[in-house]
Amino acid sequence: MRMIVCTTINEARAQLAKRRLDAPEVAIGLVPTMGYLHEGHASLMRRAKEECGYTVLSVFVNPLQFGPNEDFDRYPRSAEQDIALAEACGIDLLFMPTVSEMYPVKPLTSVIIDSVTDRLCGASRPGHFDGVGIVVCKLFHIIEPHRAYFGMKDAQQIAVVKRMVDDLNMPVEIVPCDTVREDDGLAKSSRNVYLNEQERQQAVVLSKSLQAAEHWLREPGMTAERLAGMVRKTIEEAPLAVIDYVELLTYPDLSPVEAQALLPNYPDTLIIALAVKFGGTRLIDNRLFIPLGGVQYV
Amino acid sequence: MRMIVCTTINEARAQLAKRRLDAPEVAIGLVPTMGYLHEGHASLMRRAKEECGYTVLSVFVNPLQFGPNEDFDRYPRSAEQDIALAEACGIDLLFMPTVSEMYPVKPLTSVIIDSVTDRLCGASRPGHFDGVGIVVCKLFHIIEPHRAYFGMKDAQQIAVVKRMVDDLNMPVEIVPCDTVREDDGLAKSSRNVYLNEQERQQAVVLSKSLQAAEHWLREPGMTAERLAGMVRKTIEEAPLAVIDYVELLTYPDLSPVEAQALLPNYPDTLIIALAVKFGGTRLIDNRLFIPLGGVQYV
């Protein structure tokens, strides 16, 4: 069956309603994206395809999750390539609304998630997760998926969305998926296209420092403060890197870990998360440390 | 078919999932209430029953929509009578969760609706509509109704919920229903039970003043300021009445009307809304004025 492309909410709903009436037992999987699709998105689509009888991809660059001085206008877009990749991945319905379709008037409603948004990108990008909250809410209400697939590169986003879903009893399962990386370890991101050759080469320091952290964490006597310091120092060795944050927190609560806490055999799942600028490009990455016998992800 | 009573979210969802799978074309109607059901609720249930193949009544006294000095603890409850009335009205599923079922932990997520909550009960009861926002969101996600029925006595609540539904693209139609009144005109309310005999007699002034306002509004030269003043004066004639607010606003935007605006032939739908205390009991009522050729309600 050929992929259907819908640009309006009513069209998408009509397609889904028909599908639900014909096959009420079929699970609907949603992969929400901002487009400019890469191998990371493709892996989410393939996972959705494996687990759901009907798969929906949304492509929408959401202005509300960009700050006034961020890259909304220059965020890369590639509708034609996105359509081709979605179709190649076997997506059933591609939802690509315009900004005025999603926000015909300024919303008076805000969906605000506290506490898990206090740190990391929530602190560096004020208002970012309010924008994520409302757009994910809207997409879930338009598509009504049984499962929604998100990449762990945006680990805080998953923690925030999961908390919103739990608090509001949204009837959707959030499925976190592994980060997909370039051969040298750099996490795939639509923003990687901004990097010049030198920046691209040096950006490998992010995944390298996280990989090293995995070993350092197991060293006897290693503390939270020392580990974050070692990661920071590793990154600073790349001359073009400007650190926004490097933090070690619990996951998915994203509470701070006491500076002197001993990390080997720490009882909770931890995340080391970082945001680093190379020139005008802000990249994020993270690594999860799951205690033995612990529960994966959220 | 006998009515099913569910106290947990999982039970209610299992019932609804079964129903949806068996009869995906059947419309589900929800009547969300705080219980202590009266004839006003019964009229909502009957309307839902007329329009939907499967009807759900929720009974939940939501602590989050009560202020710290409000009547949450003493709010009247009557589970057995509620069950009997729901069954008599032909409700299919009665959802009666406990507070800990609805809020197993303190939610980090808030659903905040601006502007339409600035006045009337939004101003008198700080936080009230934040509580309404989250609980209605939760109930809509648990029940997933096609239509939800609300009484126009809570006209601001309807405006707020409708705006939330529109802003968040919630797949539910909000159906406003006429206020049901006692023989002497007093709007039915679970809180009427608090009134002593004298208060109950004097409370009739609320509906009387709104009825009079309907005539005054048509008087040549009548202004917004004068009309509100006349309603206030009428209410003050009842010795036990203590006015919280009397306001004339547009509906459903709830924007102020200029004091000197001429009301006969005013182009927008207007609402005169009031909240008045009799002893410890705060009662609300309102009347809508729809211009000729105008659109009813929201």
Side-chain angles (χ1 to χ4, degrees), chain B:
Chain B
M1 207 160 62
R2 260 193 79 97
M3 182 174 79
I4 290 165
V5 181
C6 296
T7 56
T8 71
I9 294 168
N10 284 344
E11 279 175 85
R13 279 193 169 143
Q15 287 295 336
L16 287 156
K18 205 164 58 181
R19 183 71 196 186
R20 266 188 209 97
L21 211 55
D22 289 350
E25 72 293 349
V26 167
I28 296 170
L30 170 65
V31 180
T33 78
M34 300 209 300
Y36 206 74
L37 303 176
H38 51 63
E39 190 48 36
H41 300 110
S43 80
L44 301 179
M45 292 191 265
R46 281 192 293 263
R47 173 87 180 265
K49 190 80 193 157
E50 272 168 43
E51 298 180 354
C52 304
Y54 193 80
T55 49
V56 181
L57 175 78
S58 66
V59 170
F60 179 60
V61 185
N62 173 36
L64 269 60
Q65 70 191 69
F66 288 80
N69 298 316
E70 291 184 0
D71 57 345
F72 174 69
D73 286 327
R74 68 170 193 131
Y75 193 86
R77 290 151 168 99
S78 61
E80 275 178 43
Q81 281 162 283
D82 289 352
I83 292 171
L85 184 59
E87 188 142 35
C89 288
I91 289 294
D92 296 297
L93 174 64
L94 171 54
F95 178 53
M96 300 183 95
T98 59
V99 171
S100 65
E101 178 71 11
M102 289 294 276
Y103 302 109
V105 295
K106 187 179 167 335
L108 300 179
T109 306
S110 327
V111 180
I112 293 168
I113 303 104
D114 284 333
S115 179
V116 282
T117 56
D118 286 350
R119 296 171 165 271
L120 310 181
C121 291
S124 307
R125 304 181 66 187
H128 170 65
F129 285 115
D130 300 346
V132 170
I134 192 167
V135 82
V136 171
C137 235
K138 287 166 76 78
L139 289 169
F140 285 179
H141 291 143
I142 294 165
I143 308 299
E144 298 180 80
H146 299 87
R147 299 195 191 94
Y149 296 82
F150 291 85
M152 269 301 283
K153 183 171 79 80
D154 301 299
Q156 187 175 21
Q157 175 171 272
I158 291 183
V160 170
V161 169
K162 183 70 169 64
R163 185 64 201 227
M164 174 184 81
V165 162
D166 289 349
D167 281 344
L168 301 183
N169 303 102
M170 301 181 107
V172 55
E173 183 193 345
I174 302 304
V175 184
C177 302
D178 285 337
T179 301
V180 175
R181 298 178 180 279
E182 303 289 351
D183 287 341
D184 67 358
L186 180 67
K188 298 252 186 190
S189 164
S190 305
R191 289 187 172 100
N192 291 351
V193 75
Y194 297 149
L195 300 169
N196 67 28
E197 204 179 325
Q198 255 194 317
E199 291 163 350
R200 172 64 190 81
Q201 275 167 16
Q202 294 188 19
V204 72
V205 75
L206 305 185
S207 59
K208 288 263 183 298
S209 70
L210 293 171
Q211 218 173 341
E214 179 141 30
H215 296 284
W216 297 332
L217 183 101
R218 310 294 172 203
E219 282 178 16
M222 180 58 65
T223 63
E225 190 174 41
R226 246 187 90 213
L227 183 73
M230 287 165 82
V231 172
R232 249 182 231 112
K233 196 161 156 272
T234 308
I235 294 169
E236 282 163 356
E237 280 164 16
L240 296 172
V242 178
I243 292 176
D244 177 355
Y245 62 73
V246 172
E247 281 197 81
L248 182 75
L249 303 169
T250 64
Y251 194 82
D253 291 344
L254 301 178
S255 311
V257 177
E258 219 193 310
Q260 297 315 316
L262 286 174
L263 298 185
N265 309 314
Y266 196 83
D268 302 323
T269 295
L270 297 175
I271 190 170
I272 188 153
L274 48 82
V276 177
K277 279 196 165 182
F278 289 87
T281 308
R282 184 176 171 280
L283 302 177
I284 60 172
D285 201 352
N286 67 79
R287 195 149 186 137
L288 225 57
F289 305 107
I290 300 160
L292 290 175
V295 183
Q296 186 129 13
Y297 297 146
V298 277

Side-chain angles (χ1 to χ4, degrees), chain A residues 9 13 21 105-114 134 138 141-142 144 163-164 167-171, chain B residues 9 13 105-114 134 138 141-142 144 163-164 167-171:
Chain A
I9 293 167
R13 279 194 170 143
L21 212 55
V105 294
K106 186 179 168 336
L108 299 179
T109 307
S110 327
V111 180
I112 294 169
I113 304 103
D114 284 334
I134 193 167
K138 286 166 79 77
H141 291 143
I142 294 165
E144 299 180 80
R163 185 64 202 226
M164 174 184 78
D167 280 345
L168 301 183
N169 302 102
M170 300 180 108
Chain B
I9 294 168
R13 279 193 169 143
V105 295
K106 187 179 167 335
L108 300 179
T109 306
S110 327
V111 180
I112 293 168
I113 303 104
D114 284 333
I134 192 167
K138 287 166 76 78
H141 291 143
I142 294 165
E144 298 180 80
R163 185 64 201 227
M164 174 184 81
D167 281 344
L168 301 183
N169 303 102
M170 301 181 107

